[in-house]
Each structure stands twice: as structure tokens, then as C-alpha cells.
Amino acid sequence: CEYRNKIAGAVDRMVKDGWSESEIRDITGLLNPLFTPIPNAQKCGGENGKMRADFFIMSYCPYGLLFADRLLPAIVADFGENMEWVPHYIVGDKNGKLESMHGPEEVAEDRYQVCMFKHYGGTEWLNYMRCYAREVNGLIAKFQQNPPKDGKVDMPAEHARIKAACT
């Protein structure tokens, strides 16, 4: 299938760009459904002839950020108009209230990203996500090198700073 060949090409670029084997395995795990056999000899593309990629992320997940910043842009560039893609966010429901692995700030960011995709489209969402990924990864590196003395990070303030930098 030509679509699978393009994805394989993206993985080849990852290797050439120096990604580690574990990074490639982690990221391509998000794409496993695209590599599975197509049942009943269905066409490779969707109903409208386009491939559809649904992926599931959490806005604070380092693997999701790596995917949005480094792999998805390459795949989108390769497929262009031949691909539809939609992000989905992993949350839980506890007594009617959304929860996320990384707390209420992540739920708020997930909501923001959902709204951005819905109202502004994939290109704007991807531009935001690339900036967001760089900012979050920079924040992580900063606190790994210089942990706060009290061990606490003011996530609402950091979240506001990141939003201001990326919007």
C-alpha cells in the first residue's frame, strides 16, 4: 500500500536523523493500526480516497509531544491532501468529571487543544503543538537541571507562560 510505504519512509528519516531505537519503537507504537493487515481486501485509503489517521495523546505526555513535534509533521508533509488526521485525548471520567494522568492542568490543556483543532484546523493545531512541545520539553529540562528547592512547580503559572509563548 502506498500509504504504508510513505510511513515507512518517515521511519527511515527518523533513523537518518539519529532517533534511538527506543524512541522509534515508542512513537511508531502510536501508528500500529496503520501497519496491520487490511481486512477483506479493502482499499488502503478511506471512503474518500484519503488515509485517515486517528491518534491518541495526552497533552503532557513526552511521547505524544515527540510524536506531534517530530513525526507527525513529516507524515503530514509526505501525505499532504491524501491524509486526514485527528488527535484524540486520553482522559478518564470520575463521577462526571474529567481526569487525566497528569492532573487538572493537563485536562485544561487537552480541552484547549481539542478546541483549537475543531475551530482552527490541523495546520494551526500542529503549529501550536510544535511550539508547545518545545516549551514543555524545555521546562522539563530546566527542572531536571535545577529542581525547585521545595520540589514544587507552579504549573498554572508555567501553563500560562507556555500558552502565551505559543499562541
Side-chain angles (χ1 to χ4, degrees), residues 11 17 19 24 26 28 31 41 50 52 58 60 65 71 75-76 81-82 87 91-92 96-97 104 107 134 136 155:
V11 172
D17 288 345
W19 288 45
I24 293 170
D26 291 338
T28 56
L31 300 174
K50 294 182 179 185
R52 180 177 168 109
M58 295 180 282
Y60 284 14
L65 295 175
L71 183 58
I75 292 171
V76 169
E81 297 296 318
N82 293 318
V91 296
K97 185 174 180 175
V107 171
R134 288 187 296 270
V136 169
M155 282 309 294

Side-chain angles (χ1 to χ4, degrees), residues 38-149:
I38 299 171
N40 303 323
Q42 297 172 358
K43 292 190 299 185
C44 187
E47 290 178 21
N48 58 4
K50 294 182 179 185
M51 185 182 89
R52 180 177 168 109
D54 292 279
F55 51 91
F56 299 83
I57 60 176
M58 295 180 282
S59 60
Y60 284 14
C61 175
Y63 299 113
L65 295 175
L66 186 64
F67 174 77
D69 185 37
R70 294 176 64 190
L71 183 58
L72 183 60
I75 292 171
V76 169
D78 281 352
F79 284 90
E81 297 296 318
N82 293 318
M83 182 172 130
E84 296 174 350
W85 49 275
V86 180
H88 300 274
Y89 290 82
I90 301 168
V91 296
D93 180 345
K94 185 173 183 180
N95 299 320
K97 185 174 180 175
L98 292 179
E99 285 189 332
S100 189
M101 177 186 275
H102 303 102
E105 291 85 9
E106 184 174 44
V107 171
E109 181 61 28
D110 290 348
R111 283 182 170 153
Y112 181 82
Q113 291 175 14
V114 166
C115 290
M116 176 171 272
F117 187 83
K118 180 179 179 181
H119 295 290
Y120 297 103
T123 300
E124 287 302 315
W125 179 90
L126 190 53
N127 290 338
Y128 173 80
M129 285 302 294
R130 295 191 80 193
C131 176
Y132 177 81
R134 288 187 296 270
E135 291 291 325
V136 169
N137 288 330
L139 179 68
I140 291 167
K142 172 184 159 183
F143 289 124
Q144 284 176 338
Q145 290 175 356
N146 267 329
K149 290 182 175 44

